Amino acid sequence: MKKLFLTLFTLLSVHLIAQQTETHVHDRYCRHYPESSDVPAFAWRSDWQSQLIYNYDVTFYFLDIEVNNLNINVSGNVEIHGKVVSAVLDTFAFELIPEMNITHITFNGINCPNWIREGDNILVPVIQRQSGENFVARITYGGTPPTGGFFAGVTNAYSSVFQKNVTWSLSEPFAAKSWFPCKQDLPDKADSVWVFLTTPIGTMAGSQGLLTNVTTLPSGKPRYEWKSNYPIAYYLISFAVADYQEYNVYAKPVELEGDSILVQNFVYNHPNFLPQYQNSINAVVPMIELFSNIYKLYPFHQEKYGHCLTQLGGGMEHQTMTTIGGLGFDLVAHELGHMWFGDNVTCATWSDIWINEGFATYSNYLAQEMINGWAAGQSFMISTQNSVTSQSGGSVYIPPVEITENNVSRIFNGRLSYNKGAAIIHTLRHEINNDALFFQVMNTFQNQFADSTATGDDFRMVAENVTGMNFVQFFDQWYYGEGYPRYSIEWYMAGDHVHLDVTQTTSSSTPLFEMTLDYKLTFSDGTSTVVRLWHDANFKQFDVPVNKVVTSISVDPDNWTFEKVNSIVVTVPQLDNPVHFTYGPNPVADKLNIYLTNFDQQSYQIQLTDLSGKIVYRVEAKESHRQLNLDNLAKGTYLLKLTNGTNDFTRRIVL
């Protein structure tokens, strides 16, 4: 709650609200990437993506590969089934980094020895195919992908607690090409995928879909045969291999009318593991049932949900089987939320990662609120909002120029993509002001873009269609814009109403946040009420009818919106004073906005004096709004005075 006790002096919210830094707890996020810009990028070549990959759509991937819990070697065969979408296709293109050695390529069963490499692109001359025709390409390959960076496609690690070696893949956003031949194009989801994993004796391997068979090969090695019939983005194809044990539970969403969803968990095969973590695994069951109720039925209910435990510092929402490094409530809820937002509906571009991470973080909030209770939800949201306001700028939408292989930390910025992304969804819910309608928006979005991709504007249009409201300005300021609003508030009782002068300044480049803001009015008898006031200007005056004496006012008592309150000041009526003014922000960093509440078209003088009485700034003005640039003044406390020669009004500011 952003609450400031009323006083005759200005109280600064900076003293009341603890700020959260950019260092987040791994247990809350898909924390497979750091946010620090000084972490070195993964050291493979950053090559252009051949435009030839867009001449076909992938219909099916079949990975038949050998992997090991002791190293990151990958070898085997991958089939890419596709359909020609260009007028003709005479060159088949796919992506695979140079460190992976290709030994054989066929296209529709015909050997293709004359393929060429251009960086990470493989170009294969083929017999010409026409638009609409299908094909099957088969690539035999093997090697050791580069490792040692946060963007490695395959990682190996050791659990000293449970004495297990484990290897897992992580392809988001650009690393699928480091371990299997693929087409890295978000809108082109494969219609289905098979992943067959041959592993060392005594190990198990998890992946997406259903485990249809475990075949013992002549060598004695097991082959785990996973098949999924749901559309899937390239980066959600995965594997994890270790000495696992299987522990299964079942969720029973209401819509299945007694039927169940398998929750299949591959966890370390150690006698101490399940006694310690069984309850944490079981906690996913009410989460699945909750999200199935408020969003739509779990999108992959005909297959499964589950976890593969690894040493990953966080989690990765691999479709139907999350790769996870811990089993805390927040991390499990976040990764599960991705099955709806990220997997069923995937961001259409990395600029719109909000579709994935903002909604998964908000799913975590909803799980806290609706499973653990209102107080738990409030704690989560306050932490989220404090993270957003810990810095002044930054947009949720990522300009395309910032999406590069060397700038992945911008895509997965915890403050912006995760926390601000979740906070603006919460603010949108407040603007809609009808939970049934809000969750209808979520359901419609999930159904309309199921098995596909969407942008932030796609979600906006769904919200507008369902609610009948216009959210263009909302998205311009919260999604594309930067920063957050700051408020300075003066109020007084006047008969049977309370009068408020509200000044909004902003922390960054967005000049104004049009928004509904809640005010809690506490009365002399101890009762209170909440009023919703619409702000569509930097300076607003409100007269709120009341039938009791107001003794205090607080802003946003239930933490629906994220803003900072610079001051709430009880003042006295100055309705006849032509130089009565309000101002903000206070404290001020460099620019101070002044608004005359009773401007009469006459000129007036603005002056600042230090506490010794020395005038340090003076200017003449003839408008109702004036902005002062004070960046040349020393930090400290000043008196701000406006006068027209007859009347004057003075307030205190802190620079």
Side-chain angles (χ1 to χ4, degrees):
M1 169 169 42
K2 295 86 164 178
K3 180 175 180 179
L4 289 158
F5 295 104
L6 299 177
T7 175
L8 293 176
F9 302 100
T10 299
L11 296 178
L12 306 179
S13 63
V14 67
H15 299 304
L16 300 179
I17 302 175
Q19 299 304 314
Q20 179 173 317
T21 69
E22 279 291 289
T23 302
H24 303 291
V25 178
H26 281 205
D27 195 43
R28 177 168 170 177
Y29 301 102
C30 307
R31 192 51 72 226
H32 40 272
Y33 295 115
E35 294 170 357
S36 173
S37 59
D38 59 1
V39 176
F42 191 46
W44 69 57
R45 293 172 59 185
S46 178
D47 293 294
W48 57 279
Q49 188 178 49
S50 172
Q51 294 300 299
L52 294 173
I53 67 169
Y54 300 108
N55 288 342
Y56 66 92
D57 283 342
V58 177
T59 58
F60 175 62
Y61 282 113
F62 178 21
L63 283 64
D64 187 0
I65 57 177
E66 185 164 353
V67 294
N68 197 303
N69 64 317
L70 300 177
N71 56 57
I72 61 172
N73 297 338
V74 178
S75 63
N77 300 288
V78 169
E79 288 184 6
I80 301 176
H81 296 217
K83 182 177 182 179
V84 179
V85 295
S86 58
V88 296
L89 184 148
D90 57 15
T91 301
F92 169 63
F94 63 91
E95 297 172 81
L96 188 69
I97 63 173
E99 288 83 351
M100 303 302 284
N101 182 46
I102 297 172
T103 57
H104 195 224
I105 299 176
T106 64
F107 188 86
N108 284 342
I110 299 173
N111 185 33
C112 301
N114 298 320
W115 57 271
I116 60 174
R117 174 179 287 281
E118 293 185 355
D120 295 343
N121 301 285
I122 309 300
L123 309 180
V124 186
V126 298
I127 297 174
Q128 190 176 95
R129 310 295 295 177
Q130 304 300 313
S131 179
E133 291 188 297
N134 297 317
F135 64 83
V136 177
R138 180 180 174 89
I139 302 101
T140 303
Y141 74 108
T144 304
T147 191
F150 283 92
F151 312 113
V154 182
T155 302
N156 174 262
Y158 178 73
S159 168
S160 58
V161 175
F162 297 106
Q163 295 89 49
K164 301 299 176 185
N165 295 284
V166 59
T167 301
W168 68 93
S169 66
L170 197 160
S171 301
E172 189 182 27
F174 307 121
K177 63 182 178 180
S178 75
W179 65 277
F180 76 96
C182 61
K183 173 186 175 182
Q184 296 194 146
D185 178 35
L186 284 170
D188 188 8
K189 288 189 173 184
D191 298 333
S192 56
V193 60
W194 292 1
V195 178
F196 288 11
L197 300 163
T198 300
T199 71
I201 296 171
T203 63
M204 300 170 62
S207 189
Q208 64 284 309
L210 293 173
L211 182 57
T212 58
N213 197 24
V214 181
T215 300
T216 301
L217 301 179
S219 63
K221 294 180 178 180
R223 183 175 68 200
Y224 286 81
E225 301 175 2
W226 295 90
K227 298 180 179 179
S228 177
N229 290 320
Y230 287 101
I232 187 169
Y234 69 87
Y235 73 91
L236 296 173
I237 298 171
S238 70
F239 75 85
V241 55
D243 177 12
Y244 285 134
Q245 61 178 317
E246 185 175 350
Y247 173 69
N248 298 332
V249 291
Y250 295 87
K252 296 180 179 294
V254 172
E255 190 172 339
L256 289 182
E257 299 179 340
D259 204 351
S260 60
I261 296 169
L262 169 66
V263 183
Q264 187 174 25
N265 302 281
F266 280 17
V267 297
Y268 294 142
N269 184 22
H270 189 281
N272 293 338
F273 188 87
L274 281 177
Q276 185 174 350
Y277 290 106
Q278 186 171 351
N279 289 339
S280 297
I281 297 172
N282 295 348
V284 77
V285 169
M287 296 179 193
I288 293 173
E289 294 168 351
L290 170 65
F291 295 160
S292 292
N293 182 48
I294 63 177
Y295 294 154
K296 63 172 287 186
L297 179 63
Y298 173 66
F300 312 108
H301 62 92
Q302 294 181 348
E303 293 182 354
K304 71 169 190 312
Y305 184 61
H307 303 103
C308 277
L309 192 70
T310 70
Q311 295 303 107
L312 176 63
M316 176 61 213
E317 62 274 13
H318 292 132
Q319 193 159 300
T320 76
M321 201 166 202
T322 286
T323 302
I324 205 161
L327 292 163
F329 183 94
D330 286 326
L331 182 59
V332 170
H334 181 104
E335 301 304 331
L336 174 64
H338 271 306
M339 295 301 112
W340 286 262
F341 297 96
D343 292 18
N344 181 46
V345 182
T346 306
C347 59
T349 74
W350 294 114
S351 293
D352 293 284
I353 189 63
W354 176 63
I355 295 297
N356 296 23
E357 300 301 350
F359 284 84
T361 304
Y362 197 65
S363 298
N364 189 175
Y365 160 75
L366 291 171
Q368 285 285 3
E369 177 194 321
M370 297 183 178
I371 295 176
N372 292 336
W374 174 256
Q378 287 292 286
S379 177
F380 186 96
M381 186 51 62
I382 290 169
S383 173
T384 299
Q385 294 169 343
N386 284 349
S387 168
V388 177
T389 58
S390 66
Q391 295 183 33
S392 60
S395 67
V396 176
Y397 178 80
I398 307 170
V401 68
E402 297 181 21
I403 306 295
T404 69
E405 288 185 346
N406 294 323
N407 198 28
V408 174
S409 59
R410 173 62 181 95
I411 302 174
F412 299 98
N413 183 289
R415 185 177 71 89
L416 299 175
S417 298
Y418 292 68
N419 289 336
K420 189 175 181 182
I424 66 173
I425 297 168
H426 201 52
T427 301
L428 179 68
R429 182 179 170 191
H430 181 249
E431 290 292 348
I432 293 173
N433 197 30
N434 181 322
D435 266 5
L437 206 55
F438 171 77
F439 286 111
Q440 186 182 339
V441 171
M442 296 295 216
N443 176 266
T444 302
F445 181 66
Q446 281 291 309
N447 287 323
Q448 185 170 332
F449 291 93
D451 300 326
S452 185
T453 62
T455 66
D457 274 332
D458 289 328
F459 181 81
R460 173 184 61 80
M461 288 186 285
V462 169
E464 290 179 341
N465 290 337
V466 171
T467 65
M469 301 169 70
N470 186 319
F471 292 116
V472 171
Q473 176 63 25
F474 183 95
F475 273 71
D476 283 347
Q477 66 196 25
W478 295 114
Y479 184 64
Y480 294 106
E482 297 193 29
Y484 55 88
R486 295 168 169 160
Y487 286 97
S488 299
I489 301 164
E490 297 179 2
W491 71 274
Y492 56 84
M493 286 292 299
D496 59 355
H497 67 270
V498 59
H499 179 86
L500 296 90
D501 290 333
V502 183
T503 303
Q504 182 198 105
T505 57
T506 67
S507 68
S508 190
S509 57
T510 301
L512 171 68
F513 290 88
E514 293 186 6
M515 60 186 293
T516 302
L517 192 61
D518 289 355
Y519 292 82
K520 182 179 179 180
L521 310 181
T522 300
F523 302 110
S524 57
D525 63 1
T527 62
S528 63
T529 189
V530 174
V531 295
R532 293 167 53 91
L533 301 178
W534 173 247
H535 297 71
D536 57 1
N538 292 104
F539 175 67
K540 290 283 290 187
Q541 293 182 300
F542 300 100
D543 286 295
V544 180
V546 292
N547 55 14
K548 302 176 184 179
V549 175
V550 176
T551 58
S552 67
I553 295 177
S554 61
V555 174
D556 189 23
D558 295 321
N559 304 294
W560 284 107
T561 51
F562 55 99
E563 67 285 317
K564 285 189 176 181
V565 178
N566 294 322
S567 61
I568 301 179
V569 178
V570 180
T571 186
V572 294
Q574 294 269 345
L575 298 181
D576 298 327
N577 189 339
V579 290
H580 179 263
F581 65 91
T582 185
Y583 60 99
N586 189 24
V588 56
D590 51 10
K591 293 180 174 59
L592 178 69
N593 289 280
I594 298 172
Y595 299 90
L596 262 72
T597 59
N598 299 304
F599 183 56
D600 60 1
Q601 307 299 318
Q602 301 299 311
S603 64
Y604 56 95
Q605 185 182 91
I606 303 171
Q607 66 181 35
L608 262 70
T609 62
D610 62 21
L611 295 184
S612 71
K614 178 183 177 182
I615 297 176
V616 297
Y617 186 100
R618 179 184 291 160
V619 67
E620 295 288 332
K622 294 183 179 181
E623 58 274 334
S624 61
H625 169 222
R626 185 66 178 262
Q627 185 178 81
L628 310 184
N629 189 345
L630 307 180
D631 56 359
N632 291 325
L633 295 183
K635 304 301 181 184
T637 301
Y638 296 87
L639 295 179
L640 173 65
K641 177 180 178 180
L642 270 65
T643 179
N644 63 3
T646 303
N647 304 93
D648 58 65
F649 195 69
T650 303
R651 304 306 298 266
R652 179 174 298 197
I653 69 166
V654 177
L655 183 62

